[in-house]
Amino acid sequence: MLGKTLLVVNPAARHGVTRELLPVIRSLLDRQLDYDLVVTDRPGHAIEAAATAHGYHAVVAVGGDGTVNEVLNGLMRIAREDRPALALLPTGSGNDYRRTLGISTELAASVRQLIGGVRESRDVGLVNETYFANSVAIGLDARVTAKAIELKATTGWSGLALYLRALLSILLRSYHSHQLRVSLDGGPAVDRDVLAVVATNGPTYGGGFWITPDARPDDGVLDTCVIDRVSLPGALVRLPFVVVGRHGWMRPVTLERHTSLRIESQLPVESQIDGEVTLASTYDISILPGGLDVIVPGRCR
C-alpha cells in the first residue's frame, strides 16, 4: 500500500491532453491516496520537484517518457536509503517505460495499478551525467526522434505512428551512417561504420519499436543493438522486422548484453535519452543494477 505520494504532472504531455485529464486523475485518487501534487511549468521543473521529495514513499511521473526521465534524474539526487520509489501514470505520447513496467495505458486501470502496486528494484542507466530509465540511442535513431518532436508539434500525431512517419522522413531525406569508435565493457575501441548504437533497460523505444525484445529492467545489464551501415533499400526491407523485434538474425544487426559502452566520434553526433535529444562527441554509458525502486502492478489487478 502506498504511503504519502507526490504527483509530478506535466500538463503539456501529449499535446496538452494531460492538462485536460488532471481533474479526472484527481477524482480517481481522492479518498484513495494521500498525495500532494506539483504541476510543472517549465523544462527541468520535474527534476527540481523530485529532488526535494524527501519523506515521500513514492513520486509519480504523470506524463510521458520525458517526464519520467526528469523525475528519475531528480530522484537520483536523493541518497539511496532515503529515495522515494518512482511510479508512473502514462499520459504522454510514447510511453515506452510503461511497457517496461507493465502499466496500462487506460487511465483508470493505471490508477488501480498505482494504488495496488508493489515496490521493487529496477536498474538505472547512466549516460555521461544523465540517468535514463528506458533507453539511449546514438545516430540515426536520435535524428528520427528529433524529427518526431518536430512532427508532433506540427501534426498532433503520437506514439508508434508518429515515430514511423519520422523514420520514413529521415530514411528518405537524411539517411547516412556514422564513423564511431566503440568500446564494450572496457575493452579495446573498435572503429565501426554504424547507423545506430542503442542501449536499453526495456524492450521498446520510439512508441513501440521492439528494438531489444529480450531486454529486462532487473538483470543488471544493458541490452544493446548495434546496426552497421546498410544500403537504403536494405534498410527499408528490414524496417518491418525491426518494428516487431524480429531483426536479430539480420547481418547488419548485433544484439548483445553489456555493462558499459564508450562511444566516440570526431564530430558531435545526435543521441536520444528517453526520447530527449542531445549532442556530444563522447558517450560513456553504464548501468546501475537495482539503482532505483519503482512501483509496479501487483499480482492482483
Side-chain angles (χ1 to χ4, degrees):
M1 186 69 177
L2 283 184
K4 184 73 171 180
T5 300
L6 176 66
L7 269 66
V8 179
V9 181
N10 176 10
R14 199 189 300 169
H15 316 288
V17 170
T18 300
R19 180 182 291 106
E20 305 302 320
L21 289 175
L22 189 51
V24 181
I25 293 170
R26 283 182 176 273
S27 69
L28 290 169
L29 289 176
D30 286 347
R31 296 182 298 279
Q32 300 295 327
L33 186 66
D34 181 13
Y35 71 93
D36 294 321
L37 186 144
V38 172
V39 179
T40 63
D41 58 15
R42 62 189 182 279
H45 193 177
I47 297 176
E48 298 168 11
T52 56
H54 299 276
Y56 287 96
H57 182 256
V59 177
V60 183
V62 184
D65 289 327
T67 310
V68 170
N69 184 264
E70 284 205 8
V71 169
L72 166 66
N73 276 273
L75 287 174
M76 296 303 288
R77 297 181 183 181
I78 300 175
R80 182 69 174 93
E81 62 271 17
D82 300 322
R83 188 178 300 152
L86 170 67
L88 173 62
L89 292 179
T91 64
S93 299
N95 299 319
D96 283 293
Y97 196 53
R98 72 94 190 162
R99 294 184 182 87
T100 301
L101 297 186
I103 297 173
S104 173
T105 55
E106 199 274 314
L107 182 58
S110 66
V111 168
R112 288 195 303 271
Q113 290 173 329
L114 171 67
I115 294 170
V118 295
R119 184 169 179 146
E120 296 182 356
S121 294
R122 292 292 185 269
D123 302 334
V124 176
L126 179 65
V127 52
N128 296 343
E129 297 181 352
T130 300
Y131 295 97
F132 63 92
N134 199 65
S135 68
V136 57
I138 299 162
L140 174 70
D141 295 350
R143 297 203 308 279
V144 173
T145 299
K147 185 64 177 180
I149 293 171
E150 174 188 337
L151 288 172
K152 182 168 68 172
T154 58
T155 67
W157 287 30
S158 64
L160 183 59
L162 170 67
Y163 194 84
L164 280 170
R165 181 169 176 176
L167 176 57
L168 290 173
S169 176
I170 293 298
L171 288 178
L172 297 176
R173 299 179 183 179
S174 181
Y175 182 76
H176 61 84
S177 59
H178 299 268
Q179 299 291 331
L180 303 178
R181 291 180 62 81
V182 180
S183 174
L184 303 172
D185 297 326
V190 176
D191 292 322
R192 297 184 68 165
D193 186 10
V194 304
L195 290 175
V197 178
V198 183
T200 73
N201 281 322
T204 72
Y205 73 167
F209 268 64
W210 290 82
I211 189 68
T212 48
D214 296 324
R216 292 177 50 189
D218 59 355
D219 59 4
V221 294
L222 293 163
D223 277 58
T224 64
C225 178
V226 180
I227 303 177
D228 292 314
R229 181 176 64 86
V230 66
S231 67
L232 177 56
L236 291 171
V237 168
R238 290 165 171 80
L239 176 58
F241 296 93
V242 178
V243 174
V244 297
R246 297 291 185 266
H247 54 295
W249 59 272
M250 297 177 178
R251 185 172 297 176
V253 176
T254 304
L255 292 176
E256 295 179 335
R257 292 186 172 95
H258 299 283
T259 57
S260 68
L261 301 85
R262 182 177 174 86
I263 313 297
E264 299 174 279
S265 174
Q266 287 189 343
L267 295 174
V269 60
E270 301 93 337
S271 72
Q272 66 87 5
I273 304 170
D274 285 340
E276 302 299 309
V277 180
T278 188
L279 195 68
S281 298
T282 301
Y283 293 94
D284 284 304
I285 306 169
S286 57
I287 186 78
L288 283 69
L292 181 73
D293 287 352
V294 298
I295 302 299
V296 298
R299 292 183 182 273
C300 296
R301 304 183 190 181

